[in-house]
Amino acid sequence: MFRFLAFCGIFFTCQFINAQLVKGNFEKHPVFEECNNVLVDDLKECFNKTLISKVTSEFKMPQQIIDESYSGDMVILFEVTKEGEFEVLNITAAYSELKEELKRVFSTLPQVTPAMYNGKPTYMQFSMPIPIPFSRTQTALPTTKKASVNAIEKISAIDMNSEYDSIKTYPFENREYTSQLYIPFSHQTYSRFDQELNRVGTNSHTASKPFTYSSVNDYYDFKENREQLYKEKDSWFGRKLWNEHMVTLQGEGYWFTLDPAADLQLGFESADSENQNYTYNNTRALIFQGGLGDKLNFYTVFYESQGSFAGYYNRFARSLRPDGGNPAIVPGRGVAADFGSEDFDYPVAEAYLSYAPSKYFNVQFGHGKNFIGDGYRSLLQSDNASPYPFLKLNTTFWKFKYSNTWMSLRDVRPEVVSDGSFKTKFMANHYLSFNATKRLNIGLFENVIWTNDNDRGFDLNYLNPVIFYRAIEFSTGSRGGNALIGLSAKYKFSDKFNMYGQVIIDEFSTAAVFSSTKSYKNKQGVQLGFKYYDAFKIDNLQLQFEFNQVRPYVYSNNEIELNYGHNNQSMAHLWGANFRELIGIARYENERWYGTAKLIYGERGFEIGDINTTYYGGSIYGNDENIPSEEGIEIGQGNKGTTLLGNIELGYLVNPSTNLKIYTNVLYRDHKVDQYDPVNFTEKTLWVNFGIRTDLFNWYYDY
């Protein structure tokens, strides 16, 4: 029998995941009978020594390992249950013989007193990586039986207590909470900590989204708030379903999680224009995220999806169809292929790396979306369009946060496709957020779009993070790029009430702004909103009211490739331009239950016929040279329409770690236009949905 009297080089990591209403760290490690008289502060060390002693005295090295002089590692993941039993969860090893022997050894371990938290028993998980040979600093195990006995005698002479000094132990920490990973941007998810970030005196910067966990964790304790929702589950499957990530592996200097995800919807639509139709969405996904060291994190998610939606939504998706034969672009997701007769098949992938070389800097490189603003909508940059490649640099110091983002976008219209390839254009923006006082935040926004015409490629001028893009645009030629500027502001009247706003300026002419002629050069948009937390003294009731208005021709350009769009979708407000809108939203949460009610009313001006003939300014893909007149330009010109949208969603958060929820959603849409259009015509729609969804992004059905 082999006796491991030394584990030199073994890294021993304790992982603790509390399945109860956990707040803070655990109080006591599990206790072997040999440790009953040990002080609480010494229980961890006593547990480790006793466990190693029992394992080493029982383990029998498989003969094949000795004969082949194998060198490598094996890792065992186990837990001590609430009943004090040792349960093996997983063993990783190159030989099945090693797995079977280690499993047998753990089956012989005695029952112990379980870990305790607040005087209540709880379970605790451990991960133990074990090097083979067990002590690589000692004489390696020989290949013959006789030699191996001599080697064992040498190892037996080692002082066991000295070897324990090299063993490291610490409790499991969910490193996601303090990582540089994004919190998946969902309005429902972000509402859970929106109040904490907007308290008077906090030095948070809430406009540039998505947020990283580390930036939010300073104001909102994820461990306390998320884990207090955990259900008490004894089984491994129960904990994984209701509380935890499906797969979690941690060690010194690394961690990762792996989760399946889904977005399964089944509903029906009743509309004036057609018979009742059944709708569905079938998305399967896999999420892999983690970290290497304290500075580098990674995230990737792959979606495979098929679906068919309400009639108005399907028509809009088909109106976005790209050149090349694909039938549609599912808004916010990506290019779709035909699936069946009328359905869509639309795979999507998002991924990024996040690196923080110091507390002042964070760099992200990936394929995804960004959002700038405190409202439900954004006039500066929203998450309305499909994912795109981006490089983002965040610099945070004192009362400033400075975000620079460089993006590669596509124009997929037939007019700009060359040799069968979509048109590539580039976008660069920077957003400077300044907490001027403990109540007032001011933001400055600049953006420029350019193409790679004349082999221009990615213009290095725009890598400069501080120069004004408008000045660069003029230095590179009047048609070198399309620039926009914007302002944002937020004022916190109290911890319960704040006001926010945005201004976007596509073209500024003092004469046009103050003239009564309503010039087409007056190309601006404004947003004004209010948030009321714990409204009417009801805990977790949040009310939000928002007004948005964008004049005709904003976000468009004479050089049609230089519009503010990607994959035939707006990079700002999903309605494009030429509209005004009122939004009211109520959100309520009670532990895992939530409810959202939303009411939207808008006046819009749609295009009539071919925008290459007469352009009324609603679409961002028109040419200003085709406008009907230079004066008398008003919001709603063209095919004037009104849209009333009411939406109620009730749901239950199944798993707070993965954001899996079940819900029912009812949407009512009353849409009226002056003239019939194949995409936008007068109709009333009632759309009812039931679903189970891993909430990782925003679905916008507000078209």
Side-chain angles (χ1 to χ4, degrees):
M1 178 187 296
F2 288 92
R3 299 179 181 275
F4 316 142
L5 300 182
F7 270 27
C8 182
I10 294 177
F11 170 66
F12 189 92
T13 306
C14 299
Q15 295 191 355
F16 172 55
I17 307 176
N18 193 343
Q20 302 180 30
L21 304 180
V22 179
K23 296 183 180 181
N25 294 327
F26 60 88
E27 294 179 348
K28 290 176 61 178
H29 259 62
V31 181
F32 282 101
E33 184 178 357
E34 293 87 336
C35 303
N36 282 337
N37 296 322
V38 173
L39 296 176
V40 171
D41 291 343
D42 298 326
L43 282 178
K44 180 171 67 173
E45 181 180 4
C46 184
F47 174 82
N48 294 336
K49 289 184 176 182
T50 307
L51 175 63
I52 292 172
S53 175
K54 290 182 180 295
V55 172
T56 58
S57 65
E58 181 64 27
F59 196 93
K60 299 178 181 180
M61 182 68 73
Q63 186 61 43
Q64 183 179 0
I65 308 303
I66 300 173
D67 293 341
E68 297 183 7
S69 298
Y70 170 73
S71 178
D73 294 281
M74 60 179 178
V75 180
I76 180 170
L77 178 67
F78 66 94
E79 76 176 30
V80 179
T81 68
K82 292 171 60 176
E83 292 74 31
E85 303 286 349
F86 285 84
E87 180 178 338
V88 175
L89 302 178
N90 184 61
I91 299 176
T92 302
Y95 291 83
S96 60
E97 291 83 356
L98 284 173
K99 295 181 181 180
E100 293 302 320
E101 177 58 18
L102 198 54
K103 187 181 297 184
R104 184 195 66 81
V105 169
F106 268 76
S107 70
T108 67
L109 293 174
Q111 186 175 12
V112 298
T113 302
M116 305 293 287
Y117 179 79
N118 281 347
K120 297 180 180 180
T122 186
Y123 75 95
M124 186 179 292
Q125 290 184 350
F126 300 85
S127 174
M128 181 192 293
I130 304 175
I132 304 294
F134 306 106
S135 182
R136 291 178 182 154
T137 61
Q138 304 298 325
T139 304
L141 293 178
T143 58
T144 66
K145 293 183 180 180
K146 183 176 181 180
S148 66
V149 173
N150 293 332
I152 293 301
E153 291 175 352
K154 292 181 180 180
I155 295 175
S156 300
I158 300 173
D159 179 9
M160 181 189 301
N161 291 329
S162 65
E163 295 303 306
Y164 287 121
D165 294 337
S166 65
I167 298 174
K168 301 176 182 178
T169 62
Y170 52 86
F172 168 81
E173 293 179 318
N174 193 327
R175 303 183 199 177
E176 181 183 55
Y177 299 156
T178 56
S179 72
Q180 298 299 319
L181 288 174
Y182 283 148
I183 305 169
F185 180 43
S186 159
H187 289 296
Q188 182 62 46
T189 300
Y190 276 43
S191 69
R192 287 185 172 269
F193 46 77
D194 195 50
Q195 182 176 5
E196 280 70 17
L197 294 179
N198 283 287
R199 295 187 184 280
V200 175
T202 57
N203 194 31
S204 61
H205 299 269
T206 58
S208 184
K209 298 179 176 75
F211 305 139
T212 62
Y213 280 96
S214 60
S215 64
V216 175
N217 203 52
D218 292 337
Y219 308 100
Y220 176 85
D221 190 330
F222 279 102
K223 181 176 179 61
E224 177 178 351
N225 287 281
R226 179 181 288 182
E227 297 184 8
Q228 70 179 351
L229 299 176
Y230 281 6
K231 292 179 176 291
E232 184 174 347
K233 295 294 179 181
D234 295 329
S235 69
W236 177 89
F237 179 78
R239 295 198 305 271
K240 297 302 178 181
L241 175 63
W242 296 101
N243 300 332
E244 306 169 6
H245 292 287
M246 182 59 67
V247 177
T248 302
L249 182 61
Q250 295 196 18
E252 186 174 18
Y254 70 89
W255 68 274
F256 72 79
T257 67
L258 182 68
D259 291 290
D263 188 352
L264 308 176
Q265 305 173 26
L266 182 63
F268 64 89
E269 169 208 18
S270 177
D272 295 341
S273 59
E274 47 194 276
N275 296 326
Q276 177 174 302
N277 292 317
Y278 289 98
T279 65
Y280 78 96
N281 186 70
N282 177 19
T283 295
R284 295 85 60 208
L286 189 66
I287 308 167
F288 181 55
Q289 65 177 10
L292 300 174
D294 297 327
K295 298 180 179 180
L296 179 64
N297 293 106
F298 60 89
Y299 175 93
T300 183
V301 55
F302 300 96
Y303 302 91
E304 178 60 36
S305 305
Q306 296 82 37
S308 181
F309 308 91
Y312 78 91
Y313 194 84
N314 287 340
R315 294 194 303 271
F316 181 70
R318 294 186 183 280
S319 74
L320 302 176
R321 62 183 176 274
D323 182 69
N326 291 89
I329 293 177
V330 177
R333 306 312 294 146
V335 176
D338 280 318
F339 181 74
S341 57
E342 296 291 332
D343 302 349
F344 303 132
D345 185 346
Y346 59 102
V348 181
E350 298 185 54
Y352 64 88
L353 296 173
S354 181
Y355 179 67
S358 74
K359 66 179 181 178
Y360 302 108
F361 299 101
N362 174 261
V363 183
Q364 297 141 18
F365 176 67
H367 187 262
K369 302 183 185 184
N370 293 276
F371 187 100
I372 297 177
D374 287 287
Y376 177 67
R377 311 287 201 198
S378 174
L379 306 186
L380 306 182
Q381 182 177 2
S382 79
D383 59 335
N384 170 62
S386 307
Y388 45 81
F390 71 91
L391 173 65
K392 188 173 185 178
L393 171 63
N394 289 316
T395 305
T396 306
F397 63 96
W398 191 44
K399 298 181 179 182
F400 292 94
K401 182 177 181 180
Y402 192 45
S403 299
N404 295 265
T405 312
W406 297 270
M407 292 151 279
S408 176
L409 309 179
R410 296 190 305 178
D411 196 324
V412 298
R413 292 170 296 155
E415 305 95 291
V416 298
V417 169
S418 177
D419 298 326
S421 298
F422 295 141
K423 185 78 171 184
T424 298
K425 58 184 178 181
F426 303 101
M427 178 184 290
N429 69 40
H430 65 78
Y431 179 75
L432 177 63
S433 172
F434 173 49
N435 287 324
T437 72
K438 66 180 182 179
R439 298 178 185 271
L440 177 64
N441 173 272
I442 299 173
L444 304 176
F445 173 80
E446 293 179 328
N447 173 280
V448 69
I449 307 165
W450 73 99
T451 66
N452 60 353
D453 290 341
N454 302 319
D455 297 322
R456 185 181 184 188
F458 188 94
D459 195 329
L460 296 181
N461 284 295
Y462 300 121
L463 286 178
N464 190 324
V466 296
I467 196 168
F468 286 98
Y469 290 138
R470 174 63 76 177
I472 297 177
E473 181 194 358
F474 285 122
S475 71
T476 56
S478 61
R479 292 182 180 268
N482 178 26
L484 298 91
I485 60 174
L487 302 171
S488 71
K490 179 176 63 180
Y491 189 81
K492 308 171 189 177
F493 293 95
S494 68
D495 291 346
K496 307 292 187 183
F497 187 78
N498 67 57
M499 177 177 65
Y500 60 88
Q502 290 182 342
V503 175
I504 184 71
I505 302 174
D506 191 0
E507 186 172 332
F508 186 80
S509 170
T510 304
V513 171
F514 295 102
S515 172
S516 61
T517 61
K518 300 179 182 179
S519 170
Y520 83 100
K521 294 182 180 180
N522 186 7
K523 299 167 65 174
Q524 295 92 36
V526 295
Q527 177 188 85
L528 182 64
F530 305 87
K531 290 182 180 179
Y532 183 19
Y533 306 104
D534 295 336
F536 309 113
K537 299 183 180 180
I538 301 175
D539 291 343
N540 302 319
L541 174 61
Q542 181 185 130
L543 301 181
Q544 181 177 2
F545 301 94
E546 184 172 301
F547 170 76
N548 296 292
Q549 174 178 293
V550 178
R551 282 186 52 79
Y553 310 116
V554 179
Y555 307 119
S556 64
N557 192 261
N558 292 337
E559 298 294 316
I560 60 174
E561 303 97 330
L562 298 180
N563 54 68
Y564 202 55
H566 167 61
N567 271 5
N568 286 345
Q569 302 153 85
S570 170
M571 289 289 288
H573 197 291
L574 75 173
W575 286 358
N578 194 9
F579 70 87
R580 58 173 57 94
E581 170 193 46
L582 284 170
I583 303 174
I585 303 174
R587 303 184 190 276
Y588 178 73
E589 295 170 356
N590 185 1
E591 296 183 344
R592 295 196 181 207
W593 292 96
Y594 74 91
T596 301
K598 181 167 50 181
L599 186 65
I600 299 173
Y601 177 79
E603 297 179 353
R604 309 162 66 179
F606 296 98
E607 302 303 325
I608 301 176
D610 186 1
I611 63 174
N612 295 318
T613 302
T614 305
Y615 176 40
Y616 290 99
S619 168
I620 67 171
Y621 285 92
N623 189 329
D624 291 1
E625 295 175 354
N626 298 321
I627 62 177
S629 66
E630 294 189 1
E631 297 181 347
I633 303 301
E634 296 182 333
I635 292 176
Q637 68 179 18
N639 189 7
K640 187 173 183 179
T642 59
T643 304
L644 176 66
L645 285 155
N647 181 234
I648 295 177
E649 179 171 308
L650 300 175
Y652 182 79
L653 187 63
V654 177
N655 189 320
S657 294
T658 62
N659 219 16
L660 178 68
K661 65 182 184 181
I662 56 175
Y663 67 94
T664 181
N665 186 297
V666 180
L667 182 145
Y668 174 76
R669 179 178 184 263
D670 185 357
H671 186 66
K672 300 175 182 178
V673 292
D674 290 345
Q675 300 182 39
Y676 175 84
D677 179 88
V679 176
N680 296 293
F681 50 79
T682 298
E683 69 173 342
K684 295 181 180 180
T685 301
L686 179 65
W687 186 14
V688 180
N689 252 324
F690 303 91
I692 179 167
R693 178 177 183 233
T694 306
D695 196 5
L696 302 177
F697 61 90
N698 291 306
W699 272 113
Y700 293 110
Y701 298 124
D702 313 328
Y703 293 96

